[in-house]
Amino acid sequence: MADTAVTMDKIVSLAKRRGFVFQSSEIYGGLSGAWDYGPQGIELKNRIARFWWKEMTQLHDNIVGIDAAILMHPKVWHASGHVENFTDPLVDCKKCKARFRADQIPPEDLAAKKCPECGGELTEVRKFNLMFKTTLGPVEDESGLVYLRPETAQGIYVNFKNVQQSNRMKIPFGIAQIGKAFRNEIVTKNFIFRTCEFEQMEMQFFVKPGTDAEWFEYWREQRWNYYKKLGIDMKKLRWHRHGPDELAHYAKDAYDIEFEFPMGFKELEGVHNRSDYDLSRHQQFSGKDMQYIDQDNGNERYIPNIIETSAGLTRQLLMLLCDAYEEQKVADKGNEDDWRTVMHFHPELAPITVAVLPLMKKDGLAELAQDIRAELKEDFVTDYDQSGAIGRRYRRQDEVGTPFCVTIDYQTKEDGTVTVRDRDSMLQERLPRARIAEYIRQKIKEYKRPSAGL
Ligand code: ATP
């Protein structure tokens, strides 16, 4: 019996082999905490972003988007508390030079000041600010100091009034943003789970004080359902409520959605009730009025409370790689063809939607297949592959999670029909070429995650 457990090593290897994720600057030995997304990775990442964006903006009448700059006025980070508090506790081993987050090593090791890896002596715990600094302008001094944003949320808060007034938004309403964030993480491991450069998908929802608890519950439910729609195995998701020691001093309540990665349950996304902290602080530090004026209610003024939903885009990509991965026994011939590795991505998220495969290169089949591909590529991301045995080609597509393979054979020449192979069931159906696009669209709509073997 082969060991089909999903491990991070298998995911990293498939991600590289099939063009999802490469190590940054690999030919120079790599750079820790940074990764590059290959042809399949960028398609997948874009599709997750599009899926989230549609869910949050198109499907909610009262949410609009922005795209704020990564560089912001340094005062933003004083107001937000990041300059003072966005720190991790750091310890180093004097002997083996390993570096740890003090909150992530066993408390008994910390108390004994003995390195959990080599038993050597640990340094005192130091506070380490996670924000990357750089300078704006040609002079490298403190006057030009700026930070690379460690979260996208602040770009939303500082634009609260701009968005509210330009789009005449009425509370409750939300602002969504997808973008890069940077954190000088002390320990980057587990592939793209925790990196120094990553992407976030955040939506900040502005509500009237007193209605926050209700909206908080609403957003918890919405965000849970989002993962159902993504086709995730819901048994691998759970809620984690922040205890008193984890809760930020301003937060009224906070939950994380956690996913069971190969290294255990870890945070995917936070849903937080942030009170009026953010806008109050920006009002205080900027001197600008951040109150909302409720014209429908006698011009009542108040600083809105914020319900935050904050998800990692690149972390969601890792979740999808782990969740979709399956090694499946498909035959019993006693050779390597008995097994396939298949990525069960939701067909709307799969990097390639349809692969067009001529059974043979000769006898005009390749030309016919190219012709059919040309018809399909207006509507779908397509791939074309004419090399090797058809079984091998199906396997290659399974490994990148292509949900549909259209095969062109001799019968196609005679009657214009093709076979369409389903990735999950491996069943094939014959249909006229003119019906392929409609068939695929219908299948995507009806998609249900396969339960067998998963
Ligand atoms: P941690 O305590 O694990 O460092 P956090 O709780 O500070 O993380 P948030 O600030 O709530 O994380 O960030 C929101 C989301 O952004 C996280 O749920 C995660 O999906 C993503 N995220 C945060 N830091 C990273 C990172 N270094 N690499 C990849 N994704 C990240």
Side-chain angles (χ1 to χ4, degrees), residues 14 43 50 68 81 97 174 231 304 355 404 419 435:
L14 177 126
E43 281 293 342
R50 207 183 313 146
K97 310 287 177 218
F404 308 102
T419 63
R435 279 204 48 224

Side-chain angles (χ1 to χ4, degrees), residues 353-373:
T353 310
V354 46
V356 180
L357 317 170
L359 192 64
M360 301 281 175
K361 271 183 265 188
K362 53 183 192 189
D363 303 327
L365 293 186
E367 291 76 9
L368 191 52
Q370 289 284 15
D371 198 40
I372 289 176
R373 182 194 193 186

Side-chain angles (χ1 to χ4, degrees), residues 86 88 101 151 183 185 192-196 198-200 202 256 267-270 272 310-312 314-315:
F86 196 55
D88 273 345
R101 253 171 74 171
E151 61 175 34
R183 296 183 187 180
E185 299 279 3
I192 55 172
F193 177 80
R194 185 182 298 286
T195 51
C196 291
F198 57 100
E199 278 174 76
Q200 289 187 314
E202 296 197 300
D256 293 335
E267 173 179 340
L268 255 190
E269 148 159 17
H272 304 155
S310 174
T314 40
R315 199 172 280 184

Side-chain angles (χ1 to χ4, degrees), residues 397-415:
Q397 296 299 334
D398 288 342
E399 276 203 334
V400 294
T402 308
F404 308 102
C405 287
V406 170
T407 305
I408 282 75
D409 56 18
Y410 288 98
Q411 195 178 328
T412 315
K413 277 178 76 174
E414 281 164 28
D415 64 7

